Amino acid sequence: MKGIINFSNHIMQRYLPDPYLFVVLLTFVVFILGLIFTGSSPIEMVQFWGEGFWELLDFSMQMVLVLVTGHVLASSPLFKKILGGLATTAKSPGSAIIIVTVVSIIASWINWGFGLVIGALFAKELAKRVKNVDYRLLIASAYSGFLVWHGGISGSIPLSIATDKHPFENKMGIISTSETIFSTYNIAIVLALFIILPLLNRFMMPSKDKTITVDPAILDDATSTHAASIEKESITPATRLENSFIVSLIIGILGLIFISYYIITHGFQLNLNIVNFTFLFLGILCHWTPKRFLDAVANAVKGAAGIIIQFPFYAGIMGMMTASGLAAVMSEAFVSISNDFTFYCFAFLSGGLVNFFVPSGGGQWAVQAPIMLDAAQSMGASLSKTAMAIAWGDAWTNMIQPFWALPALAIAGLKAKDIMGFCVIILIVSGVIISLGMLFL
């Protein structure tokens, strides 16, 4: 098994390109597949690509803010102390791997954006304090918790079909989360991953001679903290304002009032906007002065380049997949080989394949739902479990889809190829677990 893990790491290090080149190559692949399987002309595929290119702008900005606000909050003295205190519970490399996996799974089950950021930030704190822990595996372990997000309380598909007037209400009605997120089979899959993933990640620890560590000094943020020590001759009304805690306190309190209002009126129905809002205003308060806050933002935003450049290319791929009908062709291929026993498993696998090209839960559901729901009705299968099978497929192949790893990689300062060797093993093992759950639960 160690040999397989080493081989996987070797292959990924040698052959996996930078995520930007990966998305460009993926664009070529989808373009060619569209020509072959959908009958679309080259000019039509180019049209689909160009028209879809900017469809993820809102989401791209949300993801940039996930990275920046999470990084800013984590670099504040208070939050560093909290994460650092939690990190002291790890006494060895093995315990560090287990703890970061557990924390990431819990955080991702609560909210995927929260889990994505917290896992990577906590991994960095562990790397500073635990000697001889493999930094690549630590970050991969933090990212592995993201597997459970679509089976958690922020899962976009189960929440969508539980909402009045959702797009497919005429086909399936409104389905309560008691039949999806809190169903027996879904809880069983989440619990199985909660137990097995930490042990799997611990088992993947490389031998001492192959362990790659990181100098803790490199992980310290280069955030400027000299704002309070301004020389007398440079003090002006403007600099006094920049270094005044009163400004941060007032705007921070306004933010907290809105967060409290949101919780009172909506409960703990977290979405990406409220998570970013919370991170932003806690960051403002925890950095105390506008100057220190802006220094932290300037430091954090350096890692957002990959998201800004690559997400439009994924939107273009989604445009080709949906407009050409290629996503529907893929779904229909899995349906054609399904029977009453294998249907949910094949729905899961089809969700995993389509997610590789359409890495958006909502977008993927819009493409696959009409085909998969019709197939489920013709077989007398559960519509709620069909939806969750696609949801789990969407979460599953995120393990080898750089789209979602970009924020975590930016926080960690790693490249996709550094963690993907481990993620391939996680993908295979988790795929077996989820498939068994779909077949027998």
Side-chain angles (χ1 to χ4, degrees):
M1 187 63 184
K2 292 288 185 182
I4 293 173
I5 295 168
N6 291 335
F7 176 74
S8 178
N9 281 323
H10 173 75
I11 292 296
M12 290 298 161
Q13 283 284 344
R14 188 171 179 84
Y15 295 107
L16 184 68
D18 180 87
Y20 167 70
L21 293 176
F22 181 87
V23 74
V24 169
L25 293 174
L26 206 58
T27 300
F28 297 154
V29 170
V30 173
F31 184 89
I32 294 170
L33 291 176
L35 296 178
I36 296 172
F37 293 106
T38 70
S40 300
S41 68
I43 191 64
E44 285 176 328
M45 292 300 291
V46 171
Q47 178 187 347
F48 300 150
W49 177 64
E51 290 177 350
F53 205 79
W54 303 114
E55 291 298 313
L56 288 179
L57 280 182
D58 288 351
F59 183 67
S60 300
M61 187 60 183
Q62 287 176 320
M63 291 303 290
V64 168
L65 286 172
V66 162
L67 170 64
V68 173
T69 59
H71 200 285
V72 166
L73 180 58
S75 66
S76 66
L78 176 61
F79 208 77
K80 277 185 175 180
K81 189 174 182 179
I82 293 171
L83 282 180
L86 189 57
T88 58
T89 59
K91 304 301 182 182
S92 66
S95 62
I97 296 299
I98 290 174
I99 290 169
V100 76
T101 308
V102 169
V103 168
S104 178
I105 290 173
I106 294 172
S108 295
W109 190 86
I110 294 171
N111 180 269
W112 67 267
F114 180 68
L116 203 58
V117 173
I118 290 298
L121 295 174
F122 184 44
K124 284 185 66 176
E125 288 302 316
L126 284 166
K128 294 177 186 178
R129 289 165 171 77
V130 181
K131 293 182 179 180
N132 301 319
V133 62
D134 191 289
Y135 189 53
R136 305 163 303 163
L137 178 57
L138 196 62
I139 299 301
S141 300
Y143 184 55
S144 70
F146 191 53
L147 254 172
V148 306
W149 85 270
H150 227 147
I153 58 177
S154 68
S156 57
I157 292 176
L159 292 182
S160 172
I161 62 179
T163 304
D164 187 31
K165 297 180 180 178
H166 68 85
F168 304 103
E169 185 177 351
N170 62 327
K171 285 182 175 289
M172 62 191 313
I174 297 173
I175 295 180
S176 168
T177 54
S178 63
E179 298 181 51
T180 53
I181 297 171
F182 299 106
S183 64
T184 302
Y185 66 85
N186 189 67
I187 292 174
I189 292 172
V190 171
L191 288 176
L193 291 172
F194 185 80
I195 294 169
I196 294 172
L197 279 183
L199 298 176
L200 172 65
N201 292 337
R202 169 65 178 82
F203 179 76
M204 287 196 293
M205 282 180 56
S207 57
K208 193 170 183 180
D209 61 309
K210 294 186 180 297
T211 296
I212 296 179
T213 59
V214 63
D215 183 353
I218 297 175
L219 300 178
D220 286 331
D221 296 312
T223 307
S224 172
T225 58
H226 67 275
S229 58
I230 304 174
E231 296 180 3
K232 283 188 176 182
E233 58 266 26
S234 67
I235 294 178
T236 65
T239 56
R240 286 183 184 276
L241 201 59
E242 290 171 358
N243 291 278
S244 170
F245 74 90
I246 296 176
V247 175
S248 294
L249 186 62
I250 293 173
I251 193 65
I253 290 174
L254 286 177
L256 293 181
I257 291 172
F258 176 77
I259 294 167
S260 301
Y261 166 78
Y262 179 89
I263 293 173
I264 292 170
T265 56
H266 295 82
F268 287 93
Q269 297 179 13
L270 300 179
N271 57 45
L272 204 52
N273 287 334
I274 195 64
V275 169
N276 280 336
F277 192 92
T278 303
F279 279 11
L280 174 61
F281 284 92
L282 286 179
I284 289 172
L285 286 170
C286 288
H287 281 282
W288 202 234
T289 71
K291 174 65 176 174
R292 290 179 179 175
F293 170 72
L294 291 175
D295 284 343
V297 170
N299 186 53
V301 80
K302 296 174 185 177
I307 296 173
I308 295 169
I309 294 299
Q310 292 170 44
F311 275 33
F313 282 91
Y314 279 108
I317 290 172
M318 289 173 60
M320 288 191 288
M321 287 286 295
T322 56
S324 71
L326 184 57
V329 170
M330 290 181 177
S331 299
E332 289 169 351
F334 280 94
V335 169
S336 67
I337 59 174
S338 301
N339 57 38
D340 294 346
F341 178 67
T342 62
F343 175 71
Y344 300 120
C345 184
F346 279 122
F348 160 66
L349 294 174
S350 73
L353 179 61
V354 173
N355 173 66
F356 206 72
F357 303 98
V358 186
S360 163
Q364 181 174 346
W365 177 239
V367 171
Q368 288 196 270
I371 299 160
M372 304 308 292
L373 292 177
D374 285 346
Q377 287 174 330
S378 67
M379 295 183 184
S382 165
L383 299 181
S384 60
K385 190 170 181 179
T386 300
M388 287 307 294
I390 295 171
W392 274 107
D394 170 75
W396 176 49
T397 46
N398 285 337
M399 289 300 98
I400 54 171
Q401 169 52 275
F403 180 91
W404 291 107
L406 289 175
L409 291 170
I411 290 170
L414 293 178
K415 296 181 179 179
K417 64 183 180 181
D418 294 324
I419 69 168
M420 284 300 163
F422 299 111
C423 288
V424 168
I425 306 299
I426 295 168
L427 177 89
I428 295 170
V429 174
S430 62
V432 172
I433 295 169
I434 300 168
S435 295
L436 292 174
M438 290 298 158
L439 286 171
F440 298 107
L441 295 179

